[in-house]
């Protein structure tokens, strides 16, 4: 049974699942025409776009789908944070979700190298280079990741193999996430355990509600796929990768921008990498940091609610800072936003 008072904010979990299925299906068909070789990868994408029947559609569904996936996950996480659904007895559900986020980030990062455009190449070069911050054997870790002394054919081949493998690991992790959900059941907007009379079957009540969400999602998604597919593809990625020519601005995909901003706002390489890693992993501490006994998350806690909205606004600021080139002004804004980001978590036990 499912609480009868679930709002439309509870739709994003199932939507993320549907996006995952679409990504796997389009990915398998793209893999049939793609060549994981530095001499032919870029051209094979052009071949998919121009010569393969509906290849342009497969490619745009897949590239827009990556962004859609992160959008769904971020909203899904924001809902969980707002309603305090990460608290006991749902900690395991929250942590399995965290693991899924990390797997998704790795998959998206590896997939971004495959078109072998300028941003693909330089993004991978910059990010793999961060592993130099590993104490004692950083150099070896970078070579191990790349399979070579620079991002090259070996890197492309292994990223392709792993990009194909990871979604199936994600499917397994989703199963674990769902088992954790069915063990503790869905939370609800009131945060109070409901009486038996307020529990209704998932089907047909919520399957039909999820279908409404899918309909709205597909309308928005179709606008991106059919009318503005290139808004989510960096223009520099339409230029073949050139190791001899660094682009003026190396920017990751939009969904990594806040974390990239945190990385850049720490002057020291090792410190920046630690801060960026912590910025993703710190969510796992939420069940311990939030010590309030009031149910319903932000619903009955005005200070917590204000903190939530400040946090969301701060994420947007970090995203902006990550997207623009570094100037003295943006550097200061980034550092302040980073302090606010971590400050929110440290301040939480006293709210």
């Amino acid at each position: 049974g499912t609480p009868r008072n679930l709002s439309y904010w509870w739709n994003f979990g199932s939507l993320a699942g549907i996006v995952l299925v679409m990504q796997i299906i389009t990915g398998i068909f793209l893999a049939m025409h793609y060549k994981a070789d530095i001499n032919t990868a870029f051209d094979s994408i052009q071949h998919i776009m121009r010569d393969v029947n509906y290849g342009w559609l497969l490619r745009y569904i897949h590239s827009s789908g990556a962004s859609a996936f992160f959008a769904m996950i971020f909203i899904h996480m924001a809902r969980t944070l707002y309603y305090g659904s990460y608290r006991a007895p749902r900690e395991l559900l929250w942590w399995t979700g965290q693991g899924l986020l990390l797997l998704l980030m790795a998959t998206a990062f590896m997939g971004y190298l495959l078109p072998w455009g300028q941003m693909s190449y330089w993004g991978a070069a910059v990010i793999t280079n961060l592993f130099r911050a590993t104490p004692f054997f950083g150099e070896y870790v970078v070579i191990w990741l790349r399979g070579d002394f620079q991002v090259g054919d070996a890197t492309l081949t292994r990223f392709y193999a792993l990009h194909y493998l990871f979604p199936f690991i994600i499917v397994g992790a989703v199963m674990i996430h769902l088992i954790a959900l069915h063990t503790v059941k869905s939370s609800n907007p009131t945060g109070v355990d409901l009486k038996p009379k307020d529990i209704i079957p998932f089907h047909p009540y919520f399957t039909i509600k999820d279908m409404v969400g899918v309909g709205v999602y597909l309308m928005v998604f179709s606008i991106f796929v059919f009318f503005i597919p290139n808004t989510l593809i960096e223009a520099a990625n339409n230029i073949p990768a050139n190791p001899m020519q660094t682009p003026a601005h190396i920017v990751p995909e939009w969904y990594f921008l806040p974390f990239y901003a945190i990385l850049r706002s720490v002057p020291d390489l090792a410190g920046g990498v630690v801060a960026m890693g912590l910025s993703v992993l710190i969510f796992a501490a939420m069940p311990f940091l939030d010590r309030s006994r009031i149910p319903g998350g932000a619903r009955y806690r005005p200070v917590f609610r204000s903190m939530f909205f400040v946090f969301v606004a701060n994420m947007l600021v970090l995203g902006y800072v990550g997207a623009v080139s570094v100037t003295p002004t943006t550097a200061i804004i980034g550092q302040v936003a980073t302090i606010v980001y971590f400050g929110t978590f440290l301040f939480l036990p006293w709210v």
Side-chain angles (χ1 to χ4, degrees):
T2 312
R4 66 194 298 169
N5 59 343
L6 295 192
S7 67
Y8 276 105
W9 292 114
W10 265 257
N11 277 44
F12 290 93
S14 63
L15 275 175
I18 286 163
V19 180
L20 174 63
V21 172
M22 282 173 68
Q23 287 302 87
I24 289 174
I25 292 168
T26 51
I28 288 170
F29 283 105
L30 286 169
M32 292 175 187
H33 301 279
Y34 174 76
K35 304 271 186 292
D37 181 287
I38 55 171
N39 300 308
T40 48
F42 187 85
D43 292 337
S44 77
I45 301 281
Q46 303 308 310
H47 163 69
I48 288 167
M49 293 294 290
R50 294 157 195 270
D51 306 329
V52 175
N53 284 333
Y54 295 102
W56 59 272
L57 182 60
L58 284 172
R59 197 249 173 137
Y60 281 151
I61 288 176
H62 199 73
S63 65
S64 308
S67 285
F69 209 162
F70 276 95
M72 297 303 107
I73 296 292
F74 288 157
I75 297 169
H76 187 52
M77 280 182 71
R79 192 272 301 162
T80 309
L81 287 167
Y82 184 85
Y83 288 105
S85 309
Y86 49 81
R87 298 198 295 198
R90 295 188 176 81
E91 306 97 329
L92 192 62
L93 187 56
W94 178 240
W95 292 329
T96 52
Q98 284 289 287
L100 275 163
L101 176 64
L102 293 172
L103 283 167
L104 180 62
M105 286 177 152
T107 309
F109 167 64
M110 290 185 293
Y112 196 52
L113 180 65
L114 304 187
W116 204 248
Q118 271 289 64
M119 272 305 162
S120 294
Y121 177 89
W122 289 98
V126 168
I127 302 298
T128 50
N129 202 40
L130 296 178
F131 287 88
R132 280 190 209 286
T134 315
F136 310 118
F137 34 76
E139 203 66 36
Y140 298 107
V141 173
V142 176
I143 294 168
W144 177 74
L145 279 172
R146 293 176 178 173
D148 200 343
F149 296 104
Q150 71 272 328
V151 173
D153 199 51
T155 324
L156 182 61
T157 310
R158 62 183 50 197
F159 275 29
Y160 178 52
L162 291 170
H163 184 68
Y164 201 112
L165 169 69
F166 268 46
F168 298 103
I169 297 174
I170 289 175
V171 168
V174 167
M175 297 297 177
I176 295 169
H177 192 57
L178 288 175
I179 290 165
L181 171 67
H182 282 280
T183 309
V184 293
K185 302 284 186 275
S186 288
S187 64
N188 65 78
T190 61
V192 180
D193 285 335
L194 299 183
K195 302 216 165 37
K197 69 177 169 64
D198 293 316
I199 302 290
I200 55 175
F202 186 86
H203 177 75
Y205 300 104
F206 288 103
T207 40
I208 213 76
K209 191 166 187 169
D210 280 347
M211 290 322 289
V212 175
V214 170
V216 175
Y217 163 78
L218 287 175
M219 283 193 277
V220 176
F221 185 62
S222 299
I223 291 169
F224 278 94
V225 170
F226 292 107
F227 297 104
I228 46 172
N230 286 310
T231 43
L232 303 170
I233 296 175
E234 193 63 41
N237 229 27
N238 294 318
I239 305 165
N242 180 0
M244 307 307 284
Q245 185 185 15
T246 316
H249 306 301
I250 298 175
V251 278
E253 293 285 76
W254 69 266
Y255 37 81
F256 291 140
L257 290 174
F259 311 107
Y260 186 59
I262 289 171
L263 168 80
R264 289 201 309 196
S265 68
V266 181
D268 169 58
L269 171 69
V273 173
V274 169
M276 181 174 71
L278 265 179
S279 68
V280 183
L281 297 173
I282 196 165
F283 287 103
M286 284 297 291
F288 305 115
L289 293 173
D290 185 354
R291 304 230 287 267
S292 167
R293 297 273 62 91
I294 303 169
R299 203 165 169 176
Y300 315 116
R301 298 165 63 191
V303 179
F304 181 85
R305 192 182 318 138
S306 316
M307 271 174 64
F308 173 83
F309 288 119
V310 167
F311 185 78
V312 171
N314 190 56
M315 282 296 268
L316 297 174
V317 171
L318 281 168
Y320 166 76
V321 170
V324 296
S325 49
V326 183
T327 64
T329 319
T330 58
I332 297 287
I333 296 170
Q335 285 167 342
V336 171
T338 302
I339 291 165
V340 171
Y341 183 97
F342 287 109
T344 314
F345 289 97
L346 298 174
F347 186 52
L348 191 63
W350 287 274
V351 176

